[in-house]
Amino acid sequence: MKITAVIMAGGRGERFWPKSRNNRPKQFLSLTSDGETMIQKTVKRLSPLVDAQDVFIVTNAAYTDLVCDQLPDVPKENILAEPCARNTAPCIAFAAAVINRKYDDAVMLVLPSDHLIGYEDIYISTLKKAVSIAEEDKNLVTIGITPTYPETGYGYINFGKEAGAGYEVERFVEKPDLPTAKQYLASGKYLWNSGMFVWKISSIMDNLRMLMPDIYEGAVRIGEAFGTSEFTEVLVKEFSAFRSESVDFGIMEKADNIYTIPGSFGWDDVGSWLAVERINETDDAKNYIDGDVIAIDSERTTVCGGKRLIAAIGVEDVIIVDTDDVLLVCSKNNTQDVKKVIAQLKEQGRTDLV
Amino acid sequence: MKITAVIMAGGRGERFWPKSRNNRPKQFLSLTSDGETMIQKTVKRLSPLVDAQDVFIVTNAAYTDLVCDQLPDVPKENILAEPCARNTAPCIAFAAAVINRKYDDAVMLVLPSDHLIGYEDIYISTLKKAVSIAEEDKNLVTIGITPTYPETGYGYINFGKEAGAGYEVERFVEKPDLPTAKQYLASGKYLWNSGMFVWKISSIMDNLRMLMPDIYEGAVRIGEAFGTSEFTEVLVKEFSAFRSESVDFGIMEKADNIYTIPGSFGWDDVGSWLAVERINETDDAKNYIDGDVIAIDSERTTVCGGKRLIAAIGVEDVIIVDTDDVLLVCSKNNTQDVKKVIAQLKEQGRTDLV
């Protein structure tokens, strides 16, 4: 069966401000020294399994030009522009309906656009296992990440009996506190919920019809209009009427036949500026330095330079990000507070800097 | 007797890089929130004692335009351009010879251009005491700063018997180590050597003739040429031939009749970026912030902004200085290392940034 991929690229990702902005969020940035953007890497690493012709990008209408520029091999009609943000369930329903219209049934990989994978061959073989399960019956498969430490910032997947190449899912759980996360890790029965899914179009459409019939019906009408002159009009009308809902809550936590494949492929969700030193090579003093920088006596510091010289002297555990109009100097302990700055700027009406 | 002031403004001051540059050293910068430059403040605070007409600025030839711009009330002919740097003895001899030519004898205050004074009325009354001693005999007077802690970065003046409004100087001593500095402080007989001098033109010229006859003779020839068409030619020839020597070593450590006045007028030599929080008001978290800055959870941090927004998040004891072409992020423990960056830039031939 044909394998297609749906890349979810509508996120606004404030955590990489000031490099990420409303008009260029994280998935369209390069955070690695090779210069490739996150979404370019996402499509490229799929190439052993999915042809660019079969890749679909669901994104905000404001970003379609960025997608076109960065992914010239993806057909323009595969760039699916959401007229507004409605979380993952409407996004997936929209994409599934369009693919259904284009190919009838097919396998559909659903993947975030802004994660990194360290071991791409393992990633591909993990996806192949997921495809093998998804091709049977009405199975819905999620890729779980084998946890390496008791992270409290992710949801977890509790799995049970072995089933083919994977496991039956017992339940999905919310972000745990630290003692609970430690128990999960010790049990060996929990995986990080990475937001990657594999299923047939027919499976997800059936589940949408049963569990989210309103969204199913709107998606079907969008699918029927795909390729016609009414498409944009129908899309705006139907999509805007969707309620905002995650596929986790709307489908995965309620459906039967949920399976998971444990993945150990160097997954990184690149969740904040702290990730940059993790996903790049650092120097002897554990600094990651990009750009025109003179660093003296500095340690464990991340410098993302812009057009000017940066002199970093005696600084430790700091993140320095220079752009044309904003400079960020942030302690590694405070990367979550970048959002507070954005909030202040919005309050002040300084939308050009957000 | 007429009182004149000679402001020494030839220094290149690397310690305020990147705001200070070869083409705009510290004395021509504003480091206080009132926007006045160091040299403007220096001339302004003298106004109760010395008219701008009687102020002479000795500076590098490259800075005469800056002096003209910043001090429009100082007569252009009083801006004395050194063709090259030769330390303080030739600088003072040059100025003394010119003033001698212009006014015959006069009192001459010799003052650095890049220090700050917290209590200007006390400063003026201290200078008046020095003038009263200098007007007698061939006395040479230096203003000493009453030390407030055992600083090891300054030379000290050891004073003895009371003499009029001041004290006889016993000896000048080099920068001490910490135990010695502590002894100096405890003895009550030592002052910081601030590089401020008061004497009559006739006194310093006599001492130059006796102790530095080569420089004396050259200076006399420069003075004789002052106001004539040969002035520049004579100045370049004579001044370039001078050896580089400080007035401390060349005159003060050897002459008789040396007196000092202890000064307690909130003197600050503004020696590095650390001074900025000292000479300005800070916020509740001890931050000094100038420019378009959003500071969150930051403490004891100095931010001198440029044209862009700076977000400082969770940083402590850091100095951030933004200019059009260079950004400095420096730990307060490492302000001396700014010179290392300048050295690297010179090695790399990046003179535009120095």
Side-chain angles (χ1 to χ4, degrees):
Chain A
M1 189 176 280
K2 178 178 277 293
I3 302 176
T4 65
V6 172
I7 314 291
M8 293 183 291
R12 292 192 169 266
E14 295 187 333
R15 286 179 288 188
F16 283 87
W17 183 89
K19 217 171 165 187
S20 69
R21 301 291 175 95
N22 268 345
N23 62 3
R24 186 179 293 264
K26 175 187 159 199
Q27 59 270 27
F28 302 111
L29 298 178
S30 170
L31 295 166
T32 48
S33 45
D34 58 17
E36 283 181 338
T37 67
M38 305 293 284
I39 198 169
Q40 284 174 329
K41 286 182 177 297
T42 299
V43 172
K44 193 175 172 186
R45 79 169 71 92
L46 279 174
S47 61
L49 195 60
V50 186
D51 193 83
Q53 297 295 312
D54 301 324
V55 169
F56 293 78
I57 313 288
V58 193
T59 191
N60 185 289
Y63 306 145
T64 51
D65 286 351
L66 277 169
V67 175
C68 282
D69 287 353
Q70 296 196 359
L71 299 171
D73 294 341
V74 170
K76 279 199 176 179
E77 63 169 15
N78 289 14
I79 301 170
L80 308 181
E82 296 177 325
C84 52
R86 288 289 185 265
N87 209 334
T88 49
C91 161
I92 287 166
F94 171 21
V98 166
I99 296 171
N100 197 22
R101 173 82 177 186
K102 200 166 172 181
Y103 297 131
D104 199 5
D105 207 3
V107 171
M108 171 183 181
L109 316 177
V110 178
L111 303 165
S113 57
D114 58 352
H115 294 174
L116 278 184
I117 304 296
Y119 303 94
E120 302 195 344
D121 50 343
I122 304 176
Y123 170 75
I124 291 297
S125 66
T126 305
L127 286 178
K128 282 180 178 169
K129 286 182 197 169
V131 169
S132 74
I133 298 180
E135 283 180 329
E136 292 185 22
D137 302 328
K138 297 291 173 190
N139 295 345
L140 305 180
V141 188
T142 179
I143 310 289
I145 305 296
T146 307
T148 48
Y149 64 93
E151 170 69 50
T152 59
Y154 303 143
Y156 282 71
I157 301 163
N158 178 210
F159 63 88
K161 268 195 301 192
E162 205 167 337
Y167 297 88
E168 291 177 7
V169 169
E170 293 288 324
R171 60 188 183 121
F172 292 87
V173 292
E174 294 295 304
K175 296 172 185 177
D177 59 17
L178 188 61
T180 309
K182 286 180 176 172
Q183 285 171 23
Y184 290 173
L185 209 67
S187 76
K189 288 291 185 183
Y190 285 81
L191 304 170
W192 289 335
N193 186 353
S194 69
M196 302 185 208
F197 307 101
V198 183
W199 44 54
K200 286 181 292 191
I201 296 294
S202 54
S203 309
I204 191 67
M205 290 301 273
D206 273 9
N207 274 285
L208 283 166
R209 182 168 48 77
M210 287 184 294
L211 298 169
M212 307 184 90
D214 53 335
I215 290 175
Y216 170 78
E217 284 165 24
V220 167
R221 284 190 287 270
I222 294 170
E224 282 166 355
F226 183 72
T228 75
S229 58
E230 282 95 51
F231 177 64
T232 305
E233 192 190 338
V234 173
L235 175 66
V236 169
K237 178 172 172 252
E238 299 291 343
F239 202 92
S240 306
F242 287 155
R243 61 200 154 96
S244 199
E245 192 69 84
S246 74
V247 74
D248 300 79
F249 183 77
I251 304 286
M252 300 304 280
E253 295 181 11
K254 292 167 182 152
D256 302 318
N257 294 48
I258 308 285
Y259 296 89
T260 188
I261 309 280
S264 296
F265 38 68
W267 172 81
D268 197 311
D269 74 337
V270 195
S272 79
W273 281 114
L274 291 174
V276 171
E277 61 172 25
R278 210 163 55 216
I279 63 177
N280 284 286
E281 274 194 45
T282 54
D283 66 17
D284 292 347
K286 310 280 185 196
N287 299 306
Y288 170 71
I289 285 174
D290 179 49
D292 184 10
V293 177
I294 295 179
I296 292 178
D297 274 349
S298 292
E299 294 179 4
R300 301 176 303 279
T301 285
T302 291
V303 185
C304 296
K307 291 176 183 156
R308 301 163 316 144
L309 173 71
I310 299 178
I313 310 179
V315 290
E316 297 177 359
D317 298 302
V318 168
I319 289 159
I320 301 170
V321 183
D322 186 30
T323 70
D324 287 358
D325 52 0
V326 180
L327 164 70
L328 171 69
V329 183
C330 182
S331 160
K332 282 190 188 169
N333 294 324
N334 294 63
T335 54
Q336 299 306 317
D337 292 341
V338 166
K339 293 187 175 188
K340 292 185 188 169
V341 176
I342 296 173
Q344 279 196 30
L345 290 172
K346 283 180 182 168
E347 263 175 42
Q348 295 166 6
R350 302 180 71 180
T351 47
D352 54 316
L353 299 179
V354 171
Chain B
M1 189 174 281
K2 180 180 274 296
I3 302 176
T4 65
V6 172
I7 314 291
M8 294 183 291
R12 292 193 168 266
E14 295 186 333
R15 286 179 288 186
F16 284 86
W17 183 89
K19 216 171 164 186
S20 68
R21 301 292 174 94
N22 268 344
N23 62 3
R24 185 178 294 262
K26 174 186 159 199
Q27 59 271 28
F28 302 112
L29 299 180
S30 170
L31 296 167
T32 48
S33 45
D34 58 16
E36 284 181 337
T37 68
M38 306 292 284
I39 198 168
Q40 284 174 330
K41 285 182 177 296
T42 299
V43 173
K44 190 175 172 185
R45 79 169 70 94
L46 280 173
S47 61
L49 196 61
V50 187
D51 192 84
Q53 296 295 313
D54 301 323
V55 170
F56 295 77
I57 312 288
V58 194
T59 190
N60 186 288
Y63 307 145
T64 51
D65 287 349
L66 276 170
V67 175
C68 283
D69 287 351
Q70 296 196 358
L71 299 171
D73 294 341
V74 171
K76 278 199 179 181
E77 64 171 11
N78 289 14
I79 300 169
L80 308 181
E82 297 177 324
C84 51
R86 287 289 184 265
N87 209 334
T88 50
C91 161
I92 286 165
F94 171 20
V98 166
I99 297 171
N100 198 22
R101 173 80 178 185
K102 200 165 173 182
Y103 297 130
D104 200 5
D105 207 1
V107 172
M108 170 182 181
L109 315 177
V110 179
L111 302 165
S113 56
D114 58 352
H115 294 173
L116 277 186
I117 304 295
Y119 303 93
E120 301 196 344
D121 50 342
I122 305 176
Y123 171 75
I124 291 297
S125 67
T126 305
L127 286 177
K128 282 180 177 167
K129 287 183 196 169
V131 168
S132 73
I133 300 180
E135 283 181 328
E136 292 186 23
D137 303 328
K138 297 290 175 193
N139 296 345
L140 305 180
V141 187
T142 179
I143 310 289
I145 305 297
T146 307
T148 47
Y149 63 94
E151 169 68 52
T152 58
Y154 304 143
Y156 282 71
I157 301 163
N158 178 208
F159 64 89
K161 270 197 300 197
E162 206 165 337
Y167 298 88
E168 292 178 5
V169 169
E170 294 287 323
R171 63 188 180 117
F172 292 87
V173 292
E174 296 293 306
K175 296 173 186 176
D177 58 18
L178 187 61
T180 309
K182 287 180 176 173
Q183 285 171 24
Y184 289 173
L185 208 68
S187 77
K189 289 290 185 187
Y190 286 81
L191 302 170
W192 290 335
N193 186 352
S194 69
M196 303 185 207
F197 308 103
V198 183
W199 43 54
K200 286 182 292 191
I201 296 293
S202 54
S203 308
I204 191 65
M205 290 302 272
D206 273 10
N207 275 286
L208 283 164
R209 183 170 45 75
M210 287 186 291
L211 299 169
M212 306 183 90
D214 51 336
I215 288 174
Y216 171 80
E217 285 165 21
V220 167
R221 285 190 287 272
I222 293 170
E224 283 165 354
F226 182 72
T228 73
S229 59
E230 283 97 50
F231 177 64
T232 304
E233 191 190 338
V234 173
L235 175 65
V236 170
K237 180 173 169 253
E238 299 291 344
F239 201 93
S240 306
F242 287 155
R243 60 199 156 95
S244 198
E245 192 70 85
S246 74
V247 75
D248 300 80
F249 183 78
I251 303 287
M252 301 303 281
E253 294 181 14
K254 292 166 183 148
D256 302 320
N257 293 51
I258 308 287
Y259 297 88
T260 189
I261 310 280
S264 296
F265 38 68
W267 172 81
D268 197 312
D269 73 338
V270 195
S272 78
W273 281 115
L274 291 175
V276 171
E277 62 173 24
R278 210 163 55 216
I279 62 178
N280 284 288
E281 274 194 46
T282 54
D283 66 17
D284 292 345
K286 309 279 185 199
N287 299 306
Y288 170 71
I289 285 175
D290 179 48
D292 184 11
V293 178
I294 294 178
I296 292 179
D297 274 350
S298 292
E299 293 179 6
R300 301 177 303 279
T301 285
T302 292
V303 185
C304 295
K307 292 178 184 157
R308 299 162 319 144
L309 172 71
I310 299 178
I313 309 179
V315 291
E316 296 177 0
D317 298 302
V318 168
I319 290 158
I320 301 171
V321 182
D322 186 31
T323 70
D324 286 357
D325 51 0
V326 180
L327 164 71
L328 172 69
V329 183
C330 183
S331 162
K332 282 191 188 166
N333 294 323
N334 292 65
T335 54
Q336 300 305 317
D337 293 340
V338 167
K339 294 189 174 185
K340 291 186 189 171
V341 175
I342 297 173
Q344 279 196 30
L345 290 171
K346 284 181 181 165
E347 263 176 41
Q348 295 165 7
R350 303 180 70 179
T351 47
D352 54 316
L353 298 179
V354 172

